Amino acid sequence: MPAFEYRALDGSGRRTTGLITAESETAARRQLRQQQLAPLAVRRTDARAGSPAAARAPGSWRGLVGPRDLSTRELMLVTRQLSALVDAGMPVEESLALVGRQLEKHSMRRILMAVRARVTEGKRLADAMAAEPGSFPPVYRALIAAGEASGGLGLVLSRLADHLEAEQAVSNKVVGALVYPAVLAVVALGVVTMLMLLVVPRIAEQFTGLGVTLPVLTRAMIAISNGLATGWPWILAILAGASLAFGYAFRQPGFRRLFDAHVVRLPLIGPFFRQVEAAAFARTMSILITSGAVLPDALRAAGRASSNHAFREMVAVVVRDIESGRGLSDALTRGGWIPSLVVYMVAAGERSGRLGEMFGRAADQLGQDIDNSITIGLSLLEPGIILVLGTMVVLIVLSILLPILQLNTLVLG
């Protein structure tokens, strides 16, 4: 039965929104009136699916009901619940309806009910999800299609939920590893800025008019302090302009490709990002191959799942090598991204016929390596930031003490 989203007035004149299932729009309006609601607008949930113009239009229905796409965490929650229900033998349509009714966010319920409406009309689950590409990525839909074709949809949903949980865990670790150093760096920069703007100018006033030549370090600090005091609007404007320009360029495919390629070549963080991409690739390949996907198709889907454009290009080269007759382990070695241990495990999987299992083990090993890298990086980054902050504070203090020592020397002399 199709699902409809509505805006209506209740008995006290307050506006309310929600979802309702009915045979038609007329039947939906009739049900709302039976619930003592006066319908203002009733529209089928998938009436505007795939319409970019409608999504961008000011005041459109999409803007009124909130964000359209599911986040990774929300998709993980939905997948886990669907997995449990489908494994218990419940039909897909009923599972979608039950999960949709239990969701708290209206936008999430609307997406699930729209998918359910398409399934009710006779579409396969993967095809029904294709109308919501922002919520259900291509790799996700490919795995759902493989599960439907093999009759093991519940197992595939369970593996997908595990995959999403592992990805979310890695993402949380990376973000958590970057948050603390970033906060520490901001605090350090704030402390130094306050010293330069509040302390150094007052000290400089004390030495003005004494007729002595100040030390080079003191003159440099005073010049920097004066520059910050008079030029801070320009500094903020330049930083804001640079941020906007970088954000615009980052959305351009050419610049993004060059940026991604250079980031992974940086001395310290480059190997870490290569580990993260390789772990996600191995985990995705494990699920795809175990679900019965053909190797070239699995590689293409895993490549599309990556957010790094340079990594996508590497996977595309690997696919061409595979289709020309080269072995997977040899093709991955030529790509240069995948760690040697993973390549050896892939080669063992090719020989034993357990490629999906070996990709899974490789993903687990890379996950442990990522944890170790984060631990080591944090243990080195924190004292490094403290050392830089201490050096800057020492320079400021010396710029204040040196003139005092110089004056004492002149007085005593």
Side-chain angles (χ1 to χ4, degrees):
M1 187 177 295
F4 296 85
E5 50 190 358
Y6 65 85
R7 285 180 295 156
L9 294 177
D10 60 15
S12 59
R14 291 177 299 181
R15 290 197 176 194
T16 181
T17 61
L19 289 167
I20 192 171
T21 56
E23 293 291 344
S24 63
E25 181 179 334
T26 303
R29 290 178 179 273
R30 187 183 305 114
Q31 289 186 32
L32 289 173
R33 292 189 182 95
Q34 292 174 354
Q35 299 173 14
Q36 305 301 318
L37 295 174
L40 299 175
V42 178
R43 300 191 185 188
R44 191 162 170 166
T45 52
D46 56 347
R48 291 192 173 194
S51 174
R56 292 190 300 264
S60 66
W61 185 262
R62 175 175 176 175
L64 289 173
V65 296
R68 182 180 182 84
D69 299 339
L70 296 176
S71 66
T72 302
R73 185 178 180 279
E74 292 169 346
L75 182 60
M76 177 183 64
L77 173 65
V78 168
T79 305
R80 181 64 70 190
Q81 292 178 339
L82 284 176
S83 168
L85 293 174
V86 173
D87 270 339
M90 184 174 292
V92 174
E93 176 190 349
E94 296 181 14
S95 300
L96 289 168
L98 182 58
V99 173
R101 285 194 296 267
Q102 291 178 348
L103 295 174
E104 296 180 358
K105 289 187 178 180
H106 176 77
S107 57
M108 296 173 63
R109 291 199 305 270
R110 184 174 59 82
I111 292 172
L112 263 292
M113 297 305 287
V115 173
R116 174 184 174 271
R118 300 184 191 102
V119 172
T120 304
E121 294 172 353
K123 292 185 178 180
R124 297 169 54 189
L125 180 58
D127 297 333
M129 290 177 171
E132 306 284 350
S135 297
F136 305 101
V139 175
Y140 188 97
R141 301 196 305 269
L143 288 168
I144 293 295
E148 289 179 300
S150 63
L153 181 58
L155 179 60
V156 169
L157 284 170
S158 178
R159 290 173 178 169
L160 268 173
D162 293 339
H163 171 68
L164 292 171
E165 287 176 356
E167 276 196 342
Q168 188 69 23
V170 172
S171 177
N172 291 339
K173 289 174 184 176
V174 173
V175 172
L178 296 176
V179 165
Y180 178 70
V183 171
L184 187 61
V186 170
V187 172
L189 184 61
V191 170
V192 172
T193 303
M194 290 181 62
L195 288 174
M196 296 297 293
L197 293 178
L198 301 178
V199 177
V200 173
R202 293 188 178 183
I203 298 299
E205 292 175 0
Q206 305 300 319
F207 299 113
T208 303
L210 292 180
V212 296
T213 301
L214 298 177
V216 176
L217 180 60
T218 305
R219 295 200 303 270
M221 289 297 174
I222 293 175
I224 294 174
S225 176
N226 292 334
L228 290 175
T230 59
W232 66 265
W234 292 101
I235 296 174
L236 291 180
I238 292 172
L239 291 176
S243 300
L244 291 174
F246 179 80
Y248 174 79
F250 195 72
R251 291 191 293 269
Q252 309 306 313
F255 178 84
R256 179 66 183 274
R257 189 180 302 110
L258 291 175
F259 178 84
D260 289 343
H262 281 84
V263 165
V264 297
R265 294 192 185 102
L266 294 176
L268 295 178
I269 65 174
F272 175 75
F273 281 113
R274 285 199 297 270
Q275 274 187 332
V276 173
E277 290 290 343
F281 171 77
R283 196 174 296 111
T284 304
M285 286 294 296
S286 173
I287 298 177
L288 287 166
I289 294 175
T290 306
S291 302
V294 181
L295 183 57
D297 294 339
L299 287 168
R300 291 189 184 94
R304 289 194 300 268
S306 174
S307 60
N308 189 293
H309 288 57
F311 187 81
R312 291 183 185 179
E313 293 182 351
M314 185 277 294
V315 174
V317 174
V318 171
V319 172
R320 289 197 294 268
D321 289 344
I322 292 295
E323 292 177 337
S324 65
R326 188 181 297 273
L328 178 58
S329 57
D330 294 338
L332 291 175
T333 302
R334 289 186 61 195
W337 273 72
I338 308 300
S340 300
L341 176 62
V342 178
V343 174
Y344 294 148
M345 296 178 74
V346 169
E350 288 181 296
R351 290 192 298 268
S352 63
R354 298 185 300 168
L355 188 58
E357 178 185 346
M358 298 309 290
F359 264 121
R361 293 185 180 181
D364 294 338
Q365 181 62 47
L366 286 173
Q368 295 178 6
D369 293 342
I370 290 172
D371 290 342
N372 295 334
S373 298
I374 291 174
T375 302
I376 295 173
L378 284 177
S379 63
L380 295 177
L381 191 57
E382 180 180 352
I385 294 176
I386 295 175
L387 179 62
V388 172
L389 173 62
T391 302
M392 297 177 69
V393 172
V394 167
L395 290 176
I396 295 174
V397 172
L398 283 177
S399 69
I400 297 171
L401 292 178
L402 287 177
I404 297 175
L405 294 176
Q406 182 177 350
L407 288 175
N408 289 338
T409 302
L410 293 175
V411 172
L412 295 175

